[in-house]
Amino acid sequence: MKYLISMVLLTAFIFSLSAVSSFADQPGGQGEHKVMPVVKGSKDLEKLKTLAGTWQGTTVMDGKEMPVTVTYKTSSNGSIVVETLFPDTPHEMVSVYYDDNGKLAMTHYCAMDNQPHFTLEDSSGDEINLVFANGTNLNPSKDSYMHDVSFEFKDKNNMVQEWTFYENGKEKGERTFTFSRAGK
């Protein structure tokens, strides 16, 4: 009887080692991971990937010119670009750029506590224009929200962003940001 119990326990132990070893070799396990090729996006997403790093600039708020910082980083295996405007401040906002069926799109996580979703309106070699498509936590006919954004690339180290915001279903104003790549 002791022999039978010992054999059952030994078999269970060997089986459990086999299962753990098998799990470790699977994607997401603790073993070897397969390297996936970096995602190649639309020409517009690829253009935004070149912004990776820190940018310094200015904008006018309440009639005063003020300094502004924005950072860009590529994430999720090259499938998104994360923009952080006013990093490490109470006014910090994040925008995530991605391709939707091969066309650039973006979700802006706004300090106004809403999340407008943008789609590509048009682009050229030195300009990208995104426009409001829909959003969460907002009613476009009455709330304040960002409606569109344009990027104008002056060269590889200088760009201008222009954001348009709406309120009560109508254009309320624009904010222009002029940026240069930090350290250039």
Side-chain angles (χ1 to χ4, degrees):
M1 185 69 173
K2 281 185 181 182
Y3 176 77
L4 183 59
I5 292 173
S6 296
M7 290 308 292
V8 168
L9 289 175
L10 181 60
T11 302
F13 177 72
I14 291 171
F15 178 75
S16 66
L17 282 179
S18 172
V20 168
S21 172
S22 209
F23 171 75
D25 291 335
Q26 299 300 313
Q30 299 300 314
E32 188 175 315
H33 294 280
K34 291 183 180 180
V35 177
M36 295 173 53
V38 174
V39 172
K40 175 131 172 76
S42 66
K43 70 177 178 58
D44 300 309
L45 183 62
E46 292 301 309
K47 178 78 170 178
L48 292 179
K49 288 179 185 181
T50 68
L51 301 178
T54 301
W55 294 70
Q56 302 292 330
T58 59
T59 192
V60 176
M61 292 179 110
D62 300 323
K64 298 178 189 173
E65 187 173 274
M66 64 176 285
V68 180
T69 300
V70 64
T71 62
Y72 293 91
K73 77 175 191 171
T74 302
S75 187
S76 299
N77 197 35
S79 65
I80 66 171
V81 173
V82 180
E83 172 190 76
T84 306
L85 184 61
F86 304 112
D88 303 319
T89 72
H91 197 66
E92 179 178 284
M93 291 179 278
V94 173
S95 297
V96 179
Y97 298 85
Y98 52 91
D99 280 340
D100 185 9
N101 293 316
K103 186 176 173 185
L104 186 66
M106 181 261 279
T107 300
H108 174 66
Y109 298 88
C110 192
M112 292 188 285
D113 191 30
N114 57 39
Q115 302 79 36
H117 306 289
F118 297 76
T119 56
L120 183 68
E121 183 174 47
D122 58 34
S123 67
S124 65
D126 62 353
E127 197 168 311
I128 296 175
N129 299 297
L130 296 154
V131 66
F132 178 79
N134 57 51
T136 54
N137 210 30
L138 67 92
N139 178 339
S141 65
K142 66 176 187 155
D143 293 331
S144 297
Y145 66 98
M146 292 310 208
H147 183 271
D148 52 79
V149 61
S150 66
F151 288 81
E152 182 183 356
F153 302 99
K154 302 292 190 180
D155 58 42
K156 68 179 186 172
N157 295 314
N158 297 283
M159 70 169 163
V160 175
Q161 278 188 22
E162 190 168 284
W163 290 80
T164 304
F165 55 97
Y166 274 46
E167 186 173 84
N168 299 319
K170 297 178 185 166
E171 185 175 326
K172 175 84 175 185
E174 293 179 343
R175 172 92 18 91
T176 301
F177 297 88
T178 303
F179 290 110
S180 295
R181 194 181 297 271
K184 300 290 178 190

